[in-house]
Amino acid sequence: YSKNPNLLFSMASTTKIMTAIIALEYYKMGDILTIRTEKVDGVNVGFKIGQEFFFKDLLYSMLLPSGNDASLAIAQNYKGGEEEFVRKMNKKAKSLGLYSTHFADPAGLLDREDYTTVLDLAKLASYALRNKAFAEVVGTKEILISDVSKENSYKLTNLNKLLGINGVTGIKTGYTDEAGQVLVTSKTEKDHTIIIVVMDSLDRFSDTDKLLYLVSGNINYLSIHP
């Protein structure tokens, strides 16, 4: 089912799905990253310049409360810095056939330059879920992390209100004034994964919940034999 599947929309923080993909293909979970910028626009976990974190904890910080400071740290610690990281994001999009998608920053703050379609975003989400680490993180409701020194700890809560309800296993929220409310949802049913993407919504959780209700028990899976 689709409505305006190829219309371009600002994607807001669902940009971080691609940020996570590039990061997971580059970093190891135990790699130590340094915070180089604090008080980024939008949502911040509250990190300070000079703090060190394991990559795994920054990944949770980026995908659960949608910390822009975490996503920027992940990009800035990449070989070649943020500019090269964003270039890699766009290269990956092309390799996945997401020809209507463009990234300008790792957090999704640049509305007019971070754009995609619901169809491309669904394809991106499907690809991301193949990574077990990604699936585990976006399926986590809350977690307590700390910096490497163990001197500072942070309780992270997932912004996805539907997580764990009616088979929902993830994936990512997004919001800016221009993008409106965005939600990418994964649902497990009969050993299949269903992806639902809502963009430019006034109530992303209500819209998605209605689609979840329509989907539940109403899909027939066909086996194709050669």
Side-chain angles (χ1 to χ4, degrees):
Y1 171 81
S2 64
K3 178 181 179 182
N4 298 322
N6 296 306
L7 194 63
L8 294 179
F9 292 98
S10 301
M11 68 181 96
S13 282
T14 56
T15 293
K16 292 165 184 165
I17 297 173
M18 180 62 91
T19 302
I21 289 171
I22 300 303
L24 283 164
E25 292 179 353
Y26 179 74
Y27 296 113
K28 296 178 181 178
M29 289 298 190
D31 285 349
I32 296 175
L33 281 62
T34 303
I35 303 300
R36 300 179 182 177
T37 304
E38 62 182 60
K39 297 180 180 178
V40 183
D41 288 344
V43 178
N44 285 260
V45 179
F47 303 143
K48 302 297 182 183
I49 293 175
Q51 278 185 285
E52 294 182 325
F53 289 87
F54 292 114
F55 164 64
K56 180 180 180 180
D57 293 324
L58 287 181
L59 189 63
Y60 275 100
S61 300
M62 177 177 70
L63 294 175
L64 270 62
S66 204
N68 292 335
D69 46 359
S71 61
L72 191 59
I74 287 171
Q76 289 178 337
N77 281 268
Y78 189 80
K79 184 178 180 181
E82 182 182 357
E83 184 177 342
E84 179 60 23
F85 190 94
V86 173
R87 191 191 71 80
K88 189 72 173 179
M89 291 170 71
N90 286 304
K91 183 178 180 181
K92 187 70 174 182
K94 294 298 183 292
S95 73
L96 295 176
L98 310 181
Y99 299 117
S100 297
T101 298
H102 182 265
F103 301 100
D105 74 289
L109 292 171
L110 302 176
D111 284 321
R112 296 185 182 278
E113 298 177 69
D114 290 311
Y115 56 81
T116 189
T117 65
V118 290
L119 183 58
D120 272 12
L121 196 47
K123 291 178 181 178
L124 178 62
S126 179
Y127 177 84
L129 284 176
R130 298 176 195 172
N131 187 299
K132 292 182 179 179
F134 177 89
E136 180 180 345
V137 172
V138 298
T140 302
K141 289 188 177 181
E142 61 179 33
I143 192 172
L144 185 68
I145 65 141
S146 64
D147 55 14
V148 174
S149 72
K150 303 295 184 182
E151 294 179 0
N152 301 281
S153 59
Y154 306 84
K155 183 179 180 180
L156 309 176
T157 302
N158 202 315
L159 296 178
N160 189 351
K161 297 178 182 179
L162 299 180
L163 187 62
I165 300 174
N166 296 327
V168 171
T169 58
I171 300 175
K172 188 71 190 75
T173 59
Y175 173 78
T176 64
D177 288 341
E178 184 166 327
Q181 296 185 31
V182 186
L183 182 61
V184 182
T185 302
S186 58
K187 171 186 169 63
T188 300
E189 182 176 289
K190 297 181 180 179
D191 297 323
H192 293 269
T193 298
I194 300 165
I195 304 293
I196 297 174
V197 177
V198 172
M199 304 188 77
D200 194 24
S201 171
L202 296 176
D203 190 338
R204 58 193 172 190
F205 296 116
S206 177
D207 287 343
T208 300
D209 198 46
K210 291 174 184 176
L211 291 169
L212 287 168
Y213 176 78
L214 291 172
V215 162
S216 183
N218 288 323
I219 296 179
N220 294 318
Y221 300 98
L222 305 178
S223 298
I224 300 175
H225 301 285

